[in-house]
Structures are given as C-alpha cells and as structure tokens.
C-alpha cells in the first residue's frame, strides 16, 4: 500500500462538495460567518488578542484562576471583544465603516471587567445593595451578551433570553402557576452581573475552564492532522465493507463530534468528504445526508469528552467527571450499534458494495504514518480516569503532550507559527460556545430568582398525572422544543434547568434525569421542523432538507428510545452493578437494539412485510425492557418473524449469512 494512493483516496474533496459545504455552513452554521480582516494591523491585533486569550486560559489551568467573578468576567470580556470584531451585525454589513460601531462595542465589552476588577471588594461586600453604576454596568453587559449571541448563534437564544427577562419583570401579572413576585430591572441587572447566578453562572464557569481548554486541545489535534488520521483509519477499517463510506462517515464523524462538540460544524467539515463517497457507492442524497448528520450529532453523547457536555453535567450535579463519562458509555455504544446496523442493512437491501481494496489505505500504513497521534488521546484518558489530577491540569498537560507527540513525524510536526495558529483557532472556535453559555446565564438567573424550574416541573408532573412514562414523554417533547436552534451545550443547560426537575420530582436519579434531557435537547438538531444539522447535510448532498431531517430521525431512532431504557433500567449506566449483571444487561440491550434496527430498515435476508416489521419492533422493545416476562414474549415474537423471513429467503435462494 503506497502513501500516494492513501492520500488520493482519503483526502480528496470534490470542488462541488467543498463549495456546497461552504454554502451550507454560511446558511445553517451561524458561527462560520466570520468577516475577513484585510487591514494587516487590525488582523495582527485580533490574532494577538486571540492568542493572549488562549495563553491566559493555559496559564490559569496550570497556576490556578483568580477569584471566580474576576476570572469569569475577564473570560467573557475577551470573548465579547473578539465577537464584535470578527462577526458583522448582519450578513449585508460588509462596508468598512461598520468597523467603527463594532470597535465601540468591542471596547465597551471591556468595561464590565475593568469595573469589576477595580471595585471587586465593594461589589462582593455590598451583598445585594447595588449602586446606580452597578445597574448601568449590568445593563451594558446584558445587552452586549445578547447582541453577541445573536451574531454568533442566531436569534433563537437571545429571543429565549428576552422572554425570560420579560417573565422576570412581569411575574406579578402572569396567571396561575407561572405567577411570581416579579422583579424590577435594577435587581435583574445586578444579579446578571454581580453574582454567580447570572451571566457569570456555572455555565460560563465551565466555559472559562474545561470547555475552552478542550476546544483548544481539539485545535491542536486538528493542526497536527488528527482529523485526517480519523478519516484514514475509518476508511481502512470500514471502507471495504457493504456501504463502506457510510460506515466511515459514522466512525469519523463520531470521533470528531466527541472532541469538537459542534454538530453543524462537524457536518460541513467531514460531510464534504463523506457525503460524496456515500453518493458514489449508491446511497441516495437523503440517506447520505441523514447518515452524516446523525453521526455528527451522536458524537456529542460519546465519551470521553462528549463535546464538553460531560464537564458541565459533572459540575452541575456535583459529581466526578468520571462518573458521567462511565455512565454514558453504554448508551453511546447502543446508539452507534443501531446506526451502523441500519447502514449495513440498507446497503444489503440495495446491493451496495464498499470501496475496492486497492483504493483503500491499510490499517498498518495509517498507524505507521499518523498512529502516534492517538497517544494524546490515550494520555488524556489516563489522566482523567487514573491519574487523580484535576481536569484542568490534565487538559493543560495533554495539550503539551500533543505538541510533543506531533513532533515525532515530519508529516505531523507543528512549526512555531502553526502552534500560534492553533492557539488562535482554538480561541475562535470557543467563541460560539462561550457566548451561548453567557446568554444562557440570563435564563438561568431568571429561573433561579423566580423558581420557574420548580413551577415547570410541577406543571409537567401535574399534566402527566404523576405517571412516570407520560412525564418522560412530556419532558422529551419539552426538551426537543427548547433545544430547537440552540447549540448542544446551551441546549443542555436550558433543559437541565427547566425540564430535569420534573423527573427528579418523581424519584429519577439526578444523573439519569440529566442524561435524559441532554439526549433530547441534543437530538433537536436532527428533529424537524428545526433540524439544523440535517439541513446542513442536505445542503451538501443536494437532498430535500425536510426529508433528510425525517430520515435522520429514523436513523437515530435508538437515540429516542435509549433514554427511556436507562430511566427504567439504570443498570444500563453500569452504576453499582456486578460484572455478570453488566454483561447480561449490555448484551440484552445490544440484541434488542439490533432487532429494532432491523425492523426500522425492514430487511432481513429479504424485504419484510409491514406487519412483520411492526411485530419485530414490538418484540425488540419488549426485549429492551429487560423485564423477564416481556423479554420472553418479545423473543417469541422476534423468533416468529425471523423464521418467516428465513422461509421466504430460502424460497428465493437467498438463505445464508452472506444475505444478512
């Protein structure tokens, strides 16, 4: 296997696909709409600020952060400064004179931090007794955060924040359960700014520590060629099998999605390569787009990083990070087993083949060329799970290890300039998440002050009659609605604040409840009518956006079922179970998920009739309940369906393992 062939197959992106990906990014990924800076002094200034921001976070990861409010305020001000200088107020605001008002806003973003650093003792000691200046600074910060969120993430998050501000202001006039004492603007502005229950809440705290550092880690991995290695390795492992390119997309997008935590960005970056390959072997435009979007979104439920959501969940719940990561392993495994099974069955039904062996890289060649890039990930997992060191120190040291490991081969070695570029790219990649976390702080602040989370939980439980199943259904729907148009991390924070309490009120463990709402808030990205990840994939594949969204829902069906499974059977999270029980639980779940995937795809050796598909789906769900009686009934139903399919396959001469 020669390197030239490997490079040709795995890195070539068709110009049309590249252009389609760029257009999809501009249309659906608001974070990609960064203005170009042609004036060199300004470009140098912005690069310097971005690099300084990265270095500051690396410094605090090793030496420790300043006081909480000081650190978080500096993080927010640096982020806001870059947002106003890099993101235009509208798509059409391209004229040079727009730089003037944007520069004013960028400089204004520094005011809250300067004021807080100069008057920190006064702000802390006044204990809620605020001055007019405090209110003015809080108002300025709130307006800047919401405007920055509008520029970077779109209108959904700022509108939601403004609705909650209105809810906070006019609580006395609201009817029924939603009525509360109401607050004047001075009180709200002060709490948004001068406490850790507003803009500087836990969300921005995690953004200024864990999230920023892991995004920075991802930038260094990307600069060293890690994404290329993932693509090559996925091609080598899965490219030759039936429907190989779709399996490649699933593996590569899953790995990258776990690291970068940006579903839409992942779709447009890896999709430019994987979607044309899927189209070439015979998958439809709709299915190709659905595979890419479903795999990219799923990456954020995949440990160890989970798109940084694991760190926020751990911080919110007050549990060790390892507890969250270990609990998420089996659900993520089930999700990807289902996805790959459906891809395989679709290829079998359509008679599709993989990529010819001679056009694929060999696993050993890929590992020989770039396999050393896996060492930072192995080192990171060791640090997180076994070293006993803090997450921040682990992330800091892993970044240094990444730089050192990349130096081992000339093809991955980073120059000093590339290291600076990685620092700059990491900061710029963190802007969207940081701004979203800051604006979510406005929502969290109002919810905390008004007790809205408790009220909503009571309303959901009341409407469901206190029945757990209907509470789960209503919570799932609420999360899908709340997550529409939001990036995954703010979607989780919003749903955890407002929806998770409904489950804990009925006795669901907090970790289980938070994983439940995280799944459904995340899958809003592929659930019509606002399925942004699926729509972005359709822009590359050329398929119909809504059909791609529906196809994505079908492929991700396991993702909608799995949260219900681990609520009713927490053993799936492998918490406090012995080895034998764990093996039985996981094995049964995998079997049930494979059978459900078969029913969804409607093919086992030969096509299945609609009534057999329904029967198999019912049987699979019974098996997944892991209730002895239901599981036995489910096995009986599934056995009947499989027997009928085998008889039919034999009649047409298609009985055998190769037909599966």
């Amino acid at each position: 296997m020669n390197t030239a062939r490997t490079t040709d197959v795995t890195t070539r992106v068709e110009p049309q696909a590249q252009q389609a990906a760029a257009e999809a990014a501009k249309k659906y990924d608001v974070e990609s709409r960064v203005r170009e800076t042609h004036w060199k002094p300004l470009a140098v200034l912005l690069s310097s600020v971005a690099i300084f921001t990265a270095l500051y976070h690396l410094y605090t990861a090793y030496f420790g952060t300043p006081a909480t409010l000081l650190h978080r305020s500096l993080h927010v001000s640096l982020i806001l400064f870059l947002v106003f200088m890099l993101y235009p107020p509208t798509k059409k605001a391209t004229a040079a004179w727009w730089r003037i008002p944007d520069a004013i806003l960028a400089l204004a973003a520094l005011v809250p931090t300067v004021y807080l650093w100069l008057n920190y003792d006064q702000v802390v000691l006044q204990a809620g007794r605020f001055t007019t200046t405090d209110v003015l600074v809080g108002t300025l910060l709130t307006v800047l955060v919401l405007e920055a969120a509008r520029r970077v993430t779109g209108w959904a998050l700022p509108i939601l924040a403004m609705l909650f501000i209105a809810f906070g202001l006019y609580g006395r006039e609201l009817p029924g359960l939603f009525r509360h004492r109401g607050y004047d603007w001075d009180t709200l502005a002060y709490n948004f700014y001068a406490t850790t229950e507003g803009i500087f809440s836990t969300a921005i705290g995690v953004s200024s520590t864990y999230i920023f550092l892991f995004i920075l880690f991802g930038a260094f991995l990307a600069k060293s060629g890690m994404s290329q290695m993932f693509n090559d390795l996925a091609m080598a492992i899965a490219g030759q099998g039936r429907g190989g390119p779709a399996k490649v997309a699933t593996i590569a997008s899953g790995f990258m999605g776990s690291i970068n935590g940006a579903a839409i960005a992942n779709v447009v970056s890896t999709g430019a390569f994987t979607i044309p390959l899927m189209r070439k072997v015979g998958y439809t435009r709709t299915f190709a787009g659905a595979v890419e979007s479903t795999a990219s979104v799923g990456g954020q439920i995949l440990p160890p990083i989970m798109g940084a959501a694991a760190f926020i969940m751990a911080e919110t719940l007050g549990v060790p990070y390892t507890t969250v990561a270990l609990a998420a392993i089996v659900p993520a495994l089930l999700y990807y087993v289902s996805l790959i099974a459906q891809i395989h069955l679709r290829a079998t039904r359509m008679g599709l083949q993989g990529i010819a062996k001679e056009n694929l890289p060999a696993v050993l060649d890929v590992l020989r060329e770039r396999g050393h890039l896996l060492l930072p990930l192995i080192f990171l997992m060791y640090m997180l799970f076994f070293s006993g060191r803090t997450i921040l120190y682990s992330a800091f040291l892993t970044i240094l290890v990444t730089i050192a490991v990349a130096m081992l081969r000339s093809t991955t070695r980073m120059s000093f300039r590339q290291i600076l570029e990685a620092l700059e790219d990491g900061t710029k990649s963190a802007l969207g998440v940081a701004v979203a976390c800051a604006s979510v702080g406005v929502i969290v602040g109002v919810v905390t002050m008004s007790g809205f989370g408790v009220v909503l939980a009571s309303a959901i439980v009341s409407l469901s009659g206190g029945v757990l199943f209907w509470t789960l259904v209503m919570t799932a729907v609420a999360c899908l609605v709340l997550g529409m148009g939001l990036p995954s991390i703010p979607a989780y924070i919003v749903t955890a604040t407002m929806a998770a309490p409904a489950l804990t009120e009925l006795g669901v463990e907090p970790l289980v409840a938070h994983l439940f709402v995280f799944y459904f808030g995340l899958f809003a990205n592929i659930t019509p009518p606002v399925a942004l990840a699926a729509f972005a994939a359709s822009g590359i594949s050329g398929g119909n956006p809504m059909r791609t969204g529906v196809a994505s829902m079908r492929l991700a069906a396991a993702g909608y079922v799995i949260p219900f499974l681990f609520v009713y059977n927490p053993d799936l999270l492998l918490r406090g179970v012995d080895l034998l029980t764990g093996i039985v639980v996981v094995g049964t779940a995998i079997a049930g998920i494979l059978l459900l995937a078969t029913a969804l795809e409607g093919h086992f050796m030969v096509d299945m009739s609609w009534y057999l598909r329904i029967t198999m789906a019912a049987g699979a769900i019974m098996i997944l309940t892991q209730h002895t009686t239901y599981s036995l009934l489910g096995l009986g139903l599934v056995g009947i369906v499989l027997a009928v399919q085998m008889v039919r396959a034999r009649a047409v001469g298609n009985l055998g393992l190769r037909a599966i």
Side-chain angles (χ1 to χ4, degrees), residues 210-235:
Y210 310 134
I211 294 177
F212 190 96
L213 284 176
F214 278 96
I215 290 177
L216 193 60
F217 170 55
F220 276 96
L221 287 180
K223 190 62 70 174
S224 67
M226 173 62 81
S227 58
Q228 178 61 50
M229 194 276 292
F230 277 147
N231 284 339
D232 288 354
L233 196 58
M235 289 287 288

PDB file of all heavy atoms in Angstrom, residues 210-235:
ATOM      1  N   TYR A 210     -13.024  24.167  31.565  1.00  0.00           N
ATOM      2  CA  TYR A 210     -12.977  22.897  30.846  1.00  0.00           C
ATOM      3  C   TYR A 210     -13.234  23.044  29.349  1.00  0.00           C
ATOM      4  O   TYR A 210     -12.477  22.530  28.520  1.00  0.00           O
ATOM      5  CB  TYR A 210     -14.011  21.925  31.431  1.00  0.00           C
ATOM      6  CG  TYR A 210     -13.968  21.783  32.923  1.00  0.00           C
ATOM      7  CD1 TYR A 210     -15.128  21.814  33.685  1.00  0.00           C
ATOM      8  CD2 TYR A 210     -12.752  21.628  33.587  1.00  0.00           C
ATOM      9  CE1 TYR A 210     -15.095  21.678  35.060  1.00  0.00           C
ATOM     10  CE2 TYR A 210     -12.705  21.487  34.970  1.00  0.00           C
ATOM     11  CZ  TYR A 210     -13.876  21.522  35.699  1.00  0.00           C
ATOM     12  OH  TYR A 210     -13.833  21.390  37.055  1.00  0.00           O
ATOM     13  N   ILE A 211     -14.335  23.730  29.010  1.00  0.00           N
ATOM     14  CA  ILE A 211     -14.719  23.788  27.603  1.00  0.00           C
ATOM     15  C   ILE A 211     -13.645  24.467  26.766  1.00  0.00           C
ATOM     16  O   ILE A 211     -13.248  23.958  25.709  1.00  0.00           O
ATOM     17  CB  ILE A 211     -16.077  24.523  27.442  1.00  0.00           C
ATOM     18  CG1 ILE A 211     -17.194  23.712  28.088  1.00  0.00           C
ATOM     19  CG2 ILE A 211     -16.385  24.750  25.962  1.00  0.00           C
ATOM     20  CD1 ILE A 211     -18.543  24.382  28.039  1.00  0.00           C
ATOM     21  N   PHE A 212     -13.168  25.611  27.241  1.00  0.00           N
ATOM     22  CA  PHE A 212     -12.160  26.335  26.461  1.00  0.00           C
ATOM     23  C   PHE A 212     -10.928  25.468  26.240  1.00  0.00           C
ATOM     24  O   PHE A 212     -10.398  25.384  25.128  1.00  0.00           O
ATOM     25  CB  PHE A 212     -11.773  27.635  27.171  1.00  0.00           C
ATOM     26  CG  PHE A 212     -10.931  28.542  26.316  1.00  0.00           C
ATOM     27  CD1 PHE A 212     -11.510  29.571  25.599  1.00  0.00           C
ATOM     28  CD2 PHE A 212      -9.558  28.356  26.199  1.00  0.00           C
ATOM     29  CE1 PHE A 212     -10.744  30.391  24.780  1.00  0.00           C
ATOM     30  CE2 PHE A 212      -8.780  29.162  25.397  1.00  0.00           C
ATOM     31  CZ  PHE A 212      -9.376  30.187  24.683  1.00  0.00           C
ATOM     32  N   LEU A 213     -10.466  24.815  27.286  1.00  0.00           N
ATOM     33  CA  LEU A 213      -9.237  24.027  27.162  1.00  0.00           C
ATOM     34  C   LEU A 213      -9.422  22.832  26.243  1.00  0.00           C
ATOM     35  O   LEU A 213      -8.522  22.488  25.466  1.00  0.00           O
ATOM     36  CB  LEU A 213      -8.782  23.558  28.538  1.00  0.00           C
ATOM     37  CG  LEU A 213      -8.112  24.636  29.392  1.00  0.00           C
ATOM     38  CD1 LEU A 213      -7.791  24.108  30.766  1.00  0.00           C
ATOM     39  CD2 LEU A 213      -6.840  25.138  28.725  1.00  0.00           C
ATOM     40  N   PHE A 214     -10.577  22.205  26.274  1.00  0.00           N
ATOM     41  CA  PHE A 214     -10.765  21.042  25.405  1.00  0.00           C
ATOM     42  C   PHE A 214     -11.009  21.457  23.956  1.00  0.00           C
ATOM     43  O   PHE A 214     -10.660  20.720  23.032  1.00  0.00           O
ATOM     44  CB  PHE A 214     -11.884  20.152  25.940  1.00  0.00           C
ATOM     45  CG  PHE A 214     -11.409  19.243  27.038  1.00  0.00           C
ATOM     46  CD1 PHE A 214     -11.568  19.593  28.364  1.00  0.00           C
ATOM     47  CD2 PHE A 214     -10.754  18.069  26.741  1.00  0.00           C
ATOM     48  CE1 PHE A 214     -11.093  18.786  29.380  1.00  0.00           C
ATOM     49  CE2 PHE A 214     -10.278  17.238  27.742  1.00  0.00           C
ATOM     50  CZ  PHE A 214     -10.444  17.597  29.066  1.00  0.00           C
ATOM     51  N   ILE A 215     -11.593  22.605  23.739  1.00  0.00           N
ATOM     52  CA  ILE A 215     -11.678  23.124  22.374  1.00  0.00           C
ATOM     53  C   ILE A 215     -10.277  23.462  21.871  1.00  0.00           C
ATOM     54  O   ILE A 215      -9.934  23.202  20.708  1.00  0.00           O
ATOM     55  CB  ILE A 215     -12.603  24.352  22.316  1.00  0.00           C
ATOM     56  CG1 ILE A 215     -14.057  23.922  22.534  1.00  0.00           C
ATOM     57  CG2 ILE A 215     -12.460  25.079  20.976  1.00  0.00           C
ATOM     58  CD1 ILE A 215     -15.047  25.067  22.578  1.00  0.00           C
ATOM     59  N   LEU A 216      -9.465  24.026  22.738  1.00  0.00           N
ATOM     60  CA  LEU A 216      -8.077  24.316  22.392  1.00  0.00           C
ATOM     61  C   LEU A 216      -7.321  23.027  22.085  1.00  0.00           C
ATOM     62  O   LEU A 216      -6.535  22.959  21.127  1.00  0.00           O
ATOM     63  CB  LEU A 216      -7.409  25.066  23.544  1.00  0.00           C
ATOM     64  CG  LEU A 216      -6.059  25.733  23.262  1.00  0.00           C
ATOM     65  CD1 LEU A 216      -6.180  26.765  22.154  1.00  0.00           C
ATOM     66  CD2 LEU A 216      -5.524  26.390  24.537  1.00  0.00           C
ATOM     67  N   PHE A 217      -7.566  22.003  22.863  1.00  0.00           N
ATOM     68  CA  PHE A 217      -6.973  20.680  22.612  1.00  0.00           C
ATOM     69  C   PHE A 217      -7.381  20.177  21.230  1.00  0.00           C
ATOM     70  O   PHE A 217      -6.554  19.669  20.468  1.00  0.00           O
ATOM     71  CB  PHE A 217      -7.434  19.718  23.708  1.00  0.00           C
ATOM     72  CG  PHE A 217      -7.110  18.274  23.457  1.00  0.00           C
ATOM     73  CD1 PHE A 217      -5.799  17.865  23.202  1.00  0.00           C
ATOM     74  CD2 PHE A 217      -8.104  17.317  23.489  1.00  0.00           C
ATOM     75  CE1 PHE A 217      -5.496  16.523  22.981  1.00  0.00           C
ATOM     76  CE2 PHE A 217      -7.819  15.980  23.274  1.00  0.00           C
ATOM     77  CZ  PHE A 217      -6.512  15.588  23.013  1.00  0.00           C
ATOM     78  N   GLY A 218      -8.657  20.339  20.896  1.00  0.00           N
ATOM     79  CA  GLY A 218      -9.128  19.932  19.565  1.00  0.00           C
ATOM     80  C   GLY A 218      -8.453  20.701  18.451  1.00  0.00           C
ATOM     81  O   GLY A 218      -8.166  20.142  17.383  1.00  0.00           O
ATOM     82  N   ALA A 219      -8.176  21.987  18.689  1.00  0.00           N
ATOM     83  CA  ALA A 219      -7.492  22.793  17.674  1.00  0.00           C
ATOM     84  C   ALA A 219      -6.077  22.280  17.429  1.00  0.00           C
ATOM     85  O   ALA A 219      -5.605  22.231  16.279  1.00  0.00           O
ATOM     86  CB  ALA A 219      -7.461  24.261  18.106  1.00  0.00           C
ATOM     87  N   PHE A 220      -5.390  21.888  18.477  1.00  0.00           N
ATOM     88  CA  PHE A 220      -4.045  21.334  18.318  1.00  0.00           C
ATOM     89  C   PHE A 220      -4.092  19.979  17.618  1.00  0.00           C
ATOM     90  O   PHE A 220      -3.226  19.669  16.788  1.00  0.00           O
ATOM     91  CB  PHE A 220      -3.343  21.219  19.673  1.00  0.00           C
ATOM     92  CG  PHE A 220      -2.679  22.491  20.110  1.00  0.00           C
ATOM     93  CD1 PHE A 220      -3.322  23.375  20.964  1.00  0.00           C
ATOM     94  CD2 PHE A 220      -1.421  22.827  19.645  1.00  0.00           C
ATOM     95  CE1 PHE A 220      -2.719  24.558  21.357  1.00  0.00           C
ATOM     96  CE2 PHE A 220      -0.807  24.020  20.032  1.00  0.00           C
ATOM     97  CZ  PHE A 220      -1.451  24.881  20.891  1.00  0.00           C
ATOM     98  N   LEU A 221      -5.090  19.166  17.940  1.00  0.00           N
ATOM     99  CA  LEU A 221      -5.237  17.890  17.241  1.00  0.00           C
ATOM    100  C   LEU A 221      -5.484  18.114  15.753  1.00  0.00           C
ATOM    101  O   LEU A 221      -4.910  17.422  14.907  1.00  0.00           O
ATOM    102  CB  LEU A 221      -6.392  17.093  17.846  1.00  0.00           C
ATOM    103  CG  LEU A 221      -6.173  16.453  19.220  1.00  0.00           C
ATOM    104  CD1 LEU A 221      -7.426  15.700  19.653  1.00  0.00           C
ATOM    105  CD2 LEU A 221      -4.979  15.512  19.192  1.00  0.00           C
ATOM    106  N   ALA A 222      -6.357  19.069  15.441  1.00  0.00           N
ATOM    107  CA  ALA A 222      -6.652  19.363  14.039  1.00  0.00           C
ATOM    108  C   ALA A 222      -5.411  19.854  13.316  1.00  0.00           C
ATOM    109  O   ALA A 222      -5.142  19.458  12.171  1.00  0.00           O
ATOM    110  CB  ALA A 222      -7.772  20.399  13.945  1.00  0.00           C
ATOM    111  N   LYS A 223      -4.633  20.707  13.960  1.00  0.00           N
ATOM    112  CA  LYS A 223      -3.430  21.253  13.328  1.00  0.00           C
ATOM    113  C   LYS A 223      -2.389  20.156  13.088  1.00  0.00           C
ATOM    114  O   LYS A 223      -1.620  20.213  12.125  1.00  0.00           O
ATOM    115  CB  LYS A 223      -2.852  22.361  14.203  1.00  0.00           C
ATOM    116  CG  LYS A 223      -1.738  23.166  13.559  1.00  0.00           C
ATOM    117  CD  LYS A 223      -2.205  23.907  12.316  1.00  0.00           C
ATOM    118  CE  LYS A 223      -3.146  25.042  12.637  1.00  0.00           C
ATOM    119  NZ  LYS A 223      -3.481  25.860  11.442  1.00  0.00           N
ATOM    120  N   SER A 224      -2.383  19.153  13.946  1.00  0.00           N
ATOM    121  CA  SER A 224      -1.419  18.064  13.774  1.00  0.00           C
ATOM    122  C   SER A 224      -1.870  17.030  12.756  1.00  0.00           C
ATOM    123  O   SER A 224      -1.095  16.145  12.390  1.00  0.00           O
ATOM    124  CB  SER A 224      -1.177  17.373  15.128  1.00  0.00           C
ATOM    125  OG  SER A 224      -2.352  16.707  15.558  1.00  0.00           O
ATOM    126  N   GLY A 225      -3.134  17.115  12.307  1.00  0.00           N
ATOM    127  CA  GLY A 225      -3.624  16.186  11.299  1.00  0.00           C
ATOM    128  C   GLY A 225      -4.472  15.060  11.856  1.00  0.00           C
ATOM    129  O   GLY A 225      -4.658  14.039  11.200  1.00  0.00           O
ATOM    130  N   MET A 226      -5.013  15.236  13.053  1.00  0.00           N
ATOM    131  CA  MET A 226      -5.816  14.194  13.666  1.00  0.00           C
ATOM    132  C   MET A 226      -7.063  13.864  12.849  1.00  0.00           C
ATOM    133  O   MET A 226      -7.425  12.685  12.694  1.00  0.00           O
ATOM    134  CB  MET A 226      -6.220  14.607  15.081  1.00  0.00           C
ATOM    135  CG  MET A 226      -7.207  13.661  15.767  1.00  0.00           C
ATOM    136  SD  MET A 226      -6.564  12.006  15.993  1.00  0.00           S
ATOM    137  CE  MET A 226      -5.581  12.221  17.468  1.00  0.00           C
ATOM    138  N   SER A 227      -7.755  14.875  12.316  1.00  0.00           N
ATOM    139  CA  SER A 227      -8.958  14.603  11.528  1.00  0.00           C
ATOM    140  C   SER A 227      -8.633  13.753  10.316  1.00  0.00           C
ATOM    141  O   SER A 227      -9.394  12.861   9.935  1.00  0.00           O
ATOM    142  CB  SER A 227      -9.629  15.915  11.103  1.00  0.00           C
ATOM    143  OG  SER A 227      -8.739  16.712  10.352  1.00  0.00           O
ATOM    144  N   GLN A 228      -7.484  14.024   9.687  1.00  0.00           N
ATOM    145  CA  GLN A 228      -7.048  13.207   8.558  1.00  0.00           C
ATOM    146  C   GLN A 228      -6.803  11.769   9.005  1.00  0.00           C
ATOM    147  O   GLN A 228      -7.152  10.803   8.315  1.00  0.00           O
ATOM    148  CB  GLN A 228      -5.771  13.792   7.951  1.00  0.00           C
ATOM    149  CG  GLN A 228      -5.209  12.991   6.794  1.00  0.00           C
ATOM    150  CD  GLN A 228      -6.187  12.902   5.641  1.00  0.00           C
ATOM    151  OE1 GLN A 228      -6.721  13.914   5.201  1.00  0.00           O
ATOM    152  NE2 GLN A 228      -6.441  11.692   5.175  1.00  0.00           N
ATOM    153  N   MET A 229      -6.199  11.602  10.169  1.00  0.00           N
ATOM    154  CA  MET A 229      -5.933  10.262  10.680  1.00  0.00           C
ATOM    155  C   MET A 229      -7.231   9.517  10.954  1.00  0.00           C
ATOM    156  O   MET A 229      -7.362   8.325  10.655  1.00  0.00           O
ATOM    157  CB  MET A 229      -5.087  10.365  11.952  1.00  0.00           C
ATOM    158  CG  MET A 229      -4.453   9.038  12.388  1.00  0.00           C
ATOM    159  SD  MET A 229      -5.547   8.011  13.375  1.00  0.00           S
ATOM    160  CE  MET A 229      -5.653   9.000  14.852  1.00  0.00           C
ATOM    161  N   PHE A 230      -8.234  10.202  11.528  1.00  0.00           N
ATOM    162  CA  PHE A 230      -9.523   9.573  11.777  1.00  0.00           C
ATOM    163  C   PHE A 230     -10.154   9.107  10.464  1.00  0.00           C
ATOM    164  O   PHE A 230     -10.679   7.997  10.370  1.00  0.00           O
ATOM    165  CB  PHE A 230     -10.470  10.550  12.485  1.00  0.00           C
ATOM    166  CG  PHE A 230     -10.269  10.611  13.972  1.00  0.00           C
ATOM    167  CD1 PHE A 230     -10.483  11.795  14.658  1.00  0.00           C
ATOM    168  CD2 PHE A 230      -9.876   9.503  14.689  1.00  0.00           C
ATOM    169  CE1 PHE A 230     -10.309  11.866  16.033  1.00  0.00           C
ATOM    170  CE2 PHE A 230      -9.698   9.563  16.062  1.00  0.00           C
ATOM    171  CZ  PHE A 230      -9.913  10.742  16.732  1.00  0.00           C
ATOM    172  N   ASN A 231     -10.119   9.977   9.448  1.00  0.00           N
ATOM    173  CA  ASN A 231     -10.686   9.607   8.158  1.00  0.00           C
ATOM    174  C   ASN A 231      -9.960   8.408   7.561  1.00  0.00           C
ATOM    175  O   ASN A 231     -10.590   7.458   7.074  1.00  0.00           O
ATOM    176  CB  ASN A 231     -10.615  10.790   7.188  1.00  0.00           C
ATOM    177  CG  ASN A 231     -11.666  11.838   7.466  1.00  0.00           C
ATOM    178  OD1 ASN A 231     -12.673  11.563   8.100  1.00  0.00           O
ATOM    179  ND2 ASN A 231     -11.435  13.049   7.003  1.00  0.00           N
ATOM    180  N   ASP A 232      -8.631   8.444   7.581  1.00  0.00           N
ATOM    181  CA  ASP A 232      -7.842   7.353   7.014  1.00  0.00           C
ATOM    182  C   ASP A 232      -8.105   6.044   7.749  1.00  0.00           C
ATOM    183  O   ASP A 232      -8.277   4.990   7.129  1.00  0.00           O
ATOM    184  CB  ASP A 232      -6.351   7.686   7.092  1.00  0.00           C
ATOM    185  CG  ASP A 232      -5.948   8.764   6.096  1.00  0.00           C
ATOM    186  OD1 ASP A 232      -6.805   9.158   5.281  1.00  0.00           O
ATOM    187  OD2 ASP A 232      -4.790   9.216   6.131  1.00  0.00           O
ATOM    188  N   LEU A 233      -8.123   6.113   9.072  1.00  0.00           N
ATOM    189  CA  LEU A 233      -8.315   4.908   9.861  1.00  0.00           C
ATOM    190  C   LEU A 233      -9.718   4.344   9.655  1.00  0.00           C
ATOM    191  O   LEU A 233      -9.899   3.121   9.545  1.00  0.00           O
ATOM    192  CB  LEU A 233      -8.077   5.220  11.337  1.00  0.00           C
ATOM    193  CG  LEU A 233      -7.866   4.021  12.269  1.00  0.00           C
ATOM    194  CD1 LEU A 233      -6.676   3.188  11.811  1.00  0.00           C
ATOM    195  CD2 LEU A 233      -7.649   4.499  13.702  1.00  0.00           C
ATOM    196  N   ALA A 234     -10.707   5.229   9.593  1.00  0.00           N
ATOM    197  CA  ALA A 234     -12.076   4.776   9.344  1.00  0.00           C
ATOM    198  C   ALA A 234     -12.191   4.137   7.970  1.00  0.00           C
ATOM    199  O   ALA A 234     -12.857   3.109   7.799  1.00  0.00           O
ATOM    200  CB  ALA A 234     -13.051   5.953   9.470  1.00  0.00           C
ATOM    201  N   MET A 235     -11.533   4.719   6.980  1.00  0.00           N
ATOM    202  CA  MET A 235     -11.532   4.139   5.636  1.00  0.00           C
ATOM    203  C   MET A 235     -10.886   2.759   5.642  1.00  0.00           C
ATOM    204  O   MET A 235     -11.377   1.819   5.024  1.00  0.00           O
ATOM    205  CB  MET A 235     -10.783   5.061   4.677  1.00  0.00           C
ATOM    206  CG  MET A 235     -11.500   6.341   4.337  1.00  0.00           C
ATOM    207  SD  MET A 235     -12.904   6.097   3.235  1.00  0.00           S
ATOM    208  CE  MET A 235     -12.064   5.737   1.702  1.00  0.00           C
TER     209      MET A 235
END
